[in-house]
């Protein structure tokens, strides 16, 4: 099942495409989706698209994005590709992982 | 009431479990030392340092299954599919063909820490789904996970990983999949992440040591639940045909004894052995100083076997085959005709080129291929690559192996200088059935060389010292036989 939630499309160039890989309808999957939607609405309102992929239904799709852990969020657009694993409960880290917020001085600082 | 009292033991109505089912790995020798291969439907841990042959072990296990009715999935966490295919092709495995025929599936799993941010709880259900999908695609009975520990480098939550690995191995077991899980050796543990804790059925350690610039590979079965196994370290080699383990038999002395005799290749020498020559499947040691015709006598022995229509194999560690053939022509032997006919095979190698184990392994392969009835190792003394014990144990194993194959073996051994008995002889002599000593005669004596039999088990033999000279018709006795002074060894 690929549920597409499109919130008001803008020009495709600045559209964010986010894929959320889950396995079945677990509480953790639901939480991840909820958390993601909240973050997107707050920071990317109107220019994001979430594709929900249930690996139990489409196991062959795990290969392409090299999915091992679930839930995994993959930022397809804009490049480069980013992955965030877990239930996305820590909004701060999700924002950092999506490059929506600069990385704090941690082990590996990115310019 | 004492708490320690236990309920009465349940009567044991459960029938004794049948012998543990095993699946063949197709690795030469390995299936023999384990009595059939790996435990069926269970995970086996194969661990060792980098370059020890883990991946190859796993690959061979799968390819063998794929070509013998058991499909498999190779899950690689380190090499890309492309690299793996390249490696497999170098060993002559047609992996693409097996994949096409759905006998084999490759699954490359890459977890790159720098690309991943972790937030909140997760599990490895994605991995399970991928494995499940791959296993179904080819209806696999086997799987290899190479090297699953890489996950620890890619994901930071070790607690989750450990729990998930435990679940994974149980899951594979439940499905009855025979698994090979590779692991890199840790500092104090068999594997970096202590995988041995989760895989308790069978653990194999591969080792690659380099001493004196010579590499030796060894394999050890550390654990094999429910099965007896040798605990020795078994040498193994990796060559163009993959992995091969030497089934070092434990010197059980169970060889059948035959009373058949075979010629030494020289009438006068046969005469000294009661007129009949050596026992078939016995081991003969020719020792002597430089230039005492050891190689020549061994070549006559080979020639005699070829004349009888048997196959002969010569391991030559000092000369190249053409050189050897030429030199033997000067003492009356035309060995090239046997080579052309295919009855004589000469395997030449520099002894210092490889380690002892490698030599032993190559010898095994040659013997398996040539299926000779006689074999000559010329000379034994060139194996100096290891300690005395190592050389000794190698020779013992070789002798044992040859005997087990009913092959009559002849070893030459150079005694440097005056000819005082050397260590190797002392160690090996107890395994040798017939021992011939060759010497240069003191100046002024007939013939230049003489020969005596130090021992020859189970047969009457001459205790004379025979002088001989080397002519273009071979070694020819000269002068009268002399009785050997006091020394006479051997039971017989």
């Amino acid at each position: 099942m690929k549920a597409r939630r499109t919130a008001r499309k803008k020009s495709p160039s600045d559209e964010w495409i986010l894929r959320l890989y889950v396995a079945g309808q677990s509480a953790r999957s639901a939480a991840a989706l909820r958390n993601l939607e909240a973050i997107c609405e707050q920071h990317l309102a109107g220019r994001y698209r979430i594709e929900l992929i249930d690996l139990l239904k489409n196991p062959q799709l795990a290969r392409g994005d090299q999915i091992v852990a679930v839930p995994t969020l993959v930022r397809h657009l804009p490049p480069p590709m980013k992955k965030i694993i877990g239930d996305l409960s820590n909004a701060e880290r999700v924002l950092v992982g999506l490059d929506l917020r600069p990385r704090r001085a941690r082990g590996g600082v990115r310019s | 009431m004492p708490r320690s009292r236990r309920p009465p033991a349940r009567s044991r109505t459960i029938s004794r479990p049948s012998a543990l089912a095993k699946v063949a790995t197709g690795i030469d020798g390995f299936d023999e030392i384990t009595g059939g291969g790996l435990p069926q439907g269970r995970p086996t841990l194969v661990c060792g340092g980098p370059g020890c042959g883990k991946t190859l072990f796993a690959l061979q296990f799968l390819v063998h299954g794929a070509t013998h009715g058991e499909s498999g999935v190779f899950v690689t966490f380190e090499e890309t599919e492309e690299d793996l295919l390249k490696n497999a092709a170098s060993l002559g495995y047609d992996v693409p063909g097996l994949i096409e025929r759905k006998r084999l599936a490759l699954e490359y799993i890459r977890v790159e820490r720098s690309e991943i941010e972790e937030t909140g709880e997760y599990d490895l259900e994605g991995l399970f789904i991928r494995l499940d999908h791959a296993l179904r695609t080819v209806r696999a009975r086997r799987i290899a996970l190479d090297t699953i520990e890489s996950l620890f480098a890619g994901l930071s939550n070790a607690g989750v990983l450990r729990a998930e690995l435990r679940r994974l191995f149980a899951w594979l077991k439940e499905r009855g999949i025979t698994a090979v899980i590779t692991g890199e050796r840790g500092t104090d543990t068999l594997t970096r992440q202590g995988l041995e804790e989760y895989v308790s059925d069978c653990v194999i350690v591969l080792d690659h040591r380099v001493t004196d610039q010579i590499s030796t590979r060894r394999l050890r079965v550390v654990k094999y639940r429910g099965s007896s196994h040798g605990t020795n370290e078994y040498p193994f080699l990796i060559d163009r045909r993959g992995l091969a383990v030497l089934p070092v038999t434990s010197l059980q002395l169970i060889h059948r004894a035959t009373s058949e005799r075979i010629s030494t290749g020289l009438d006068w020498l046969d005469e000294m052995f009661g007129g009949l020559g050596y026992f078939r499947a016995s081991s003969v040691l020719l020792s002597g100083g430089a230039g005492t015709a050891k190689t020549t006598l061994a070549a006559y022995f080979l020639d005699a076997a070829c004349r009888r229509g048997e196959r002969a194999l010569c391991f030559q560690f000092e000369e190249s085959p053409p050189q050897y053939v030429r030199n033997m022509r000067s003492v009356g032997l035309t060995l090239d005709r046997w080579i052309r006919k295919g009855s004589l095979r000469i395997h030449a190698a520099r002894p210092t080129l490889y380690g002892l184990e490698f030599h032993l392994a190559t010898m095994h392969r040659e013997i398996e291929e040539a299926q000779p009835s006689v074999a000559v190792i010329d000379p034994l003394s060139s194996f100096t690559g290891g300690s005395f014990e190592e050389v000794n144990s190698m020779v013992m194993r070789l002798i044992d192996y040859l005997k087990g194959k009913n092959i009559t073996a002849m070893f030459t051994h150079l005694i440097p200088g005056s000819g005082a008995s050397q260590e190797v002889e002392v160690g090996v002599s107890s395994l040798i059935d017939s021992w011939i000593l060759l010497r240069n005669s003191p100046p002024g004596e007939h013939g230049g060389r003489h020969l005596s039999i130090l021992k020859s088990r189970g047969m009457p033999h001459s205790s004379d010292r025979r002088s001989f000279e080397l002519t273009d018709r071979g070694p020819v006795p000269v002068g009268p036989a002399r009785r050997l002074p006091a020394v006479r060894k051997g039971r017989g």
Side-chain angles (χ1 to χ4, degrees):
Chain A
M1 172 196 70
K2 267 195 191 185
R4 290 207 163 85
R5 286 150 208 266
T6 314
R8 211 160 20 98
K9 255 189 186 169
K10 269 192 156 187
S11 64
S13 58
D14 66 335
E15 188 185 33
W16 282 55
I17 298 182
L18 302 168
R19 266 185 208 164
L20 183 63
Y21 289 87
V22 296
Q25 291 163 330
S26 66
R28 199 179 286 158
S29 309
L33 183 59
R34 222 172 28 242
N35 291 333
L36 179 62
E37 282 175 335
I39 292 165
C40 288
E41 273 309 312
Q42 200 181 340
H43 297 272
L44 295 165
R47 50 191 180 104
Y48 72 93
R49 198 166 85 197
I50 296 172
E51 297 177 5
L52 185 68
I53 296 173
D54 184 351
L55 292 176
L56 288 184
K57 289 178 181 149
N58 298 292
Q60 73 285 357
L61 295 178
R63 216 175 180 184
D65 276 334
Q66 282 290 355
I67 304 305
V68 170
V70 288
T72 296
L73 172 65
V74 177
R75 183 183 87 177
H76 259 263
L77 278 177
M81 205 224 308
K82 302 253 167 211
K83 275 184 201 166
I84 301 166
I85 62 174
D87 59 14
L88 312 177
S89 53
N90 183 335
E92 193 62 26
R93 291 192 70 167
V94 177
L95 292 173
V96 172
L98 289 174
D99 274 352
L100 283 169
R101 186 157 297 177
R103 195 168 285 264
R104 282 219 199 97
R106 272 200 323 164
V109 187
R110 255 186 256 173
S111 56
Chain B
M1 194 155 167
R3 277 189 140 194
S4 61
R5 187 178 289 175
R6 290 187 187 163
R10 230 179 281 164
S11 62
R12 297 190 178 234
T13 47
I14 307 156
S15 61
R16 241 180 84 232
S18 55
L20 190 66
K22 294 177 186 179
V23 300
T25 61
I27 294 169
D28 281 351
F30 180 81
D31 295 338
E32 288 159 50
I33 60 172
T34 50
L38 300 177
Q40 186 173 42
R42 286 153 192 276
T44 292
L45 180 64
V46 177
C47 46
C52 71
K54 302 184 287 287
T55 302
L56 194 54
F57 188 105
L59 187 62
Q60 215 165 332
F61 156 76
L62 287 184
V63 169
H64 183 79
T67 50
H68 291 80
E70 284 208 334
S71 310
V73 174
F74 196 105
V75 186
T76 164
F77 292 86
E78 285 173 349
E79 280 180 296
T80 61
E81 280 153 353
E82 208 171 90
D83 287 342
L84 194 73
L85 287 176
K86 230 182 269 170
N87 291 347
S90 73
L91 293 165
Y93 299 148
D94 177 27
V95 172
L98 290 170
I99 292 173
E100 203 174 311
R101 296 203 305 279
K102 296 222 167 195
R103 312 299 300 167
L104 203 62
L106 285 188
E107 186 76 20
Y108 171 48
I109 294 182
R110 191 176 61 98
V111 179
E112 183 61 54
R113 191 165 213 158
S114 61
E115 288 177 1
I116 297 174
E117 190 74 33
E118 294 180 31
T119 155
E121 287 174 35
Y122 60 89
D123 57 35
L124 299 189
E125 195 56 34
L127 175 68
F128 281 77
I129 288 170
R130 287 175 75 174
L131 298 187
D132 181 63
H133 183 66
L135 288 168
R136 280 174 198 279
T137 319
V138 295
R139 297 158 168 266
R141 303 306 308 149
R142 301 184 178 200
I143 194 169
L145 301 170
D146 181 46
T147 300
I148 199 156
E149 280 180 309
S150 308
L151 289 179
F152 285 89
L155 301 169
S156 66
N157 195 333
V160 166
L161 282 176
R162 285 179 191 286
E164 289 294 84
L165 287 189
R166 206 181 280 276
R167 181 161 77 99
L168 175 66
F169 299 151
W171 180 75
L172 289 171
K173 219 163 163 172
E174 202 176 286
R175 307 180 120 218
I177 307 276
T178 313
V180 165
I181 293 143
T182 66
E184 192 117 318
R185 173 156 251 173
T187 16
D188 297 314
T189 48
L190 287 178
T191 59
R192 280 191 193 157
Q193 303 297 337
L195 290 181
E196 57 271 28
E197 204 182 302
Y198 312 118
V199 182
S200 47
D201 293 291
C202 182
V203 178
I204 292 156
V205 173
L206 304 180
D207 181 34
H208 186 198
R209 269 173 254 170
V210 179
T211 22
D212 296 337
Q213 293 158 16
I214 287 172
S215 83
T216 36
R217 295 177 184 276
R218 292 190 172 86
L219 175 148
R220 196 154 53 95
V221 181
V222 176
K223 186 173 184 181
Y224 201 139
R225 185 176 280 178
S227 170
S228 65
H229 60 87
T231 50
N232 287 338
E233 280 196 311
Y234 299 92
F236 73 96
L237 84 162
I238 294 175
D239 68 5
R240 59 187 197 287
R241 283 160 55 200
L243 224 81
V245 181
L246 304 185
V248 180
T249 47
S250 41
L251 301 173
Q252 287 174 329
L253 299 175
I254 47 161
H255 315 298
R256 276 169 303 159
T258 162
S259 51
E260 191 191 339
R261 302 280 280 267
I262 57 171
S263 171
T264 63
L266 295 162
D267 291 342
W268 60 271
L269 190 54
D270 285 347
E271 208 57 52
M272 290 178 76
F273 284 97
L276 295 162
Y278 314 121
F279 275 125
R280 188 177 286 285
S282 67
S283 345
V284 182
L285 180 66
L286 290 175
S287 50
T292 49
K294 295 182 297 295
T295 298
T296 308
L297 277 156
Y300 267 85
F301 173 64
L302 290 170
D303 184 68
C306 294
R307 280 175 194 276
R308 288 193 299 273
E310 296 172 11
R311 279 189 303 277
L313 178 60
C314 178
F315 294 100
Q316 193 38 255
F317 295 105
E318 287 185 336
E319 296 169 301
S320 69
Q323 204 181 352
Y324 175 68
V325 168
R326 181 201 67 199
N327 294 350
M328 290 305 108
R329 199 177 295 131
S330 75
V331 289
L333 287 175
T334 43
L335 296 177
D336 26 351
R337 63 184 161 143
W338 303 128
I339 296 172
R340 275 199 303 275
K341 214 180 141 204
S343 48
L344 175 65
R345 224 160 126 148
I346 300 171
H347 176 91
R350 280 248 169 265
T352 48
L353 203 55
Y354 312 107
L356 286 175
E357 308 298 359
F358 191 88
H359 276 296
L360 192 53
T362 332
M363 284 169 152
H364 274 244
R365 283 236 156 140
E366 281 287 322
I367 290 161
E368 293 295 333
E369 267 180 40
Q371 295 289 332
S373 71
V374 307
V376 162
I377 288 88
D378 184 28
L380 201 55
S381 31
S382 50
F383 295 107
T384 48
S387 69
F388 166 59
E389 284 78 18
E390 279 177 314
V391 174
N392 219 340
S393 93
M394 167 187 146
V395 174
M396 276 181 7
R397 289 183 331 227
L398 185 59
I399 289 175
D400 208 49
Y401 171 72
L402 291 166
K403 275 201 172 170
K405 295 234 141 216
N406 213 28
I407 297 168
T408 316
M410 178 176 278
F411 304 87
T412 71
H413 182 249
L414 173 71
I415 303 174
S418 63
S421 257
Q422 288 298 294
E423 283 180 326
V424 169
E425 287 179 21
V426 178
V428 171
S429 66
S430 63
L431 289 159
I432 294 286
D433 300 297
S434 301
W435 186 359
I436 297 171
L437 183 65
L438 294 157
R439 296 233 167 140
N440 284 311
S441 302
E445 212 175 281
H446 291 295
R449 296 171 181 87
H450 59 250
L451 173 155
S452 48
I453 300 170
L454 282 186
K455 76 167 185 184
S456 195
R457 281 180 185 152
M459 64 170 82
H461 58 269
S462 165
S463 52
D464 293 344
R465 191 174 79 184
R466 223 47 225 267
S467 293
F468 67 95
E469 61 183 358
L470 217 46
T471 70
D472 55 7
R473 286 166 295 111
V476 177
V478 288
R482 283 159 189 264
R483 200 137 264 285
L484 202 67
V487 200
R488 186 183 159 191
K489 292 187 189 172
R491 303 162 217 159

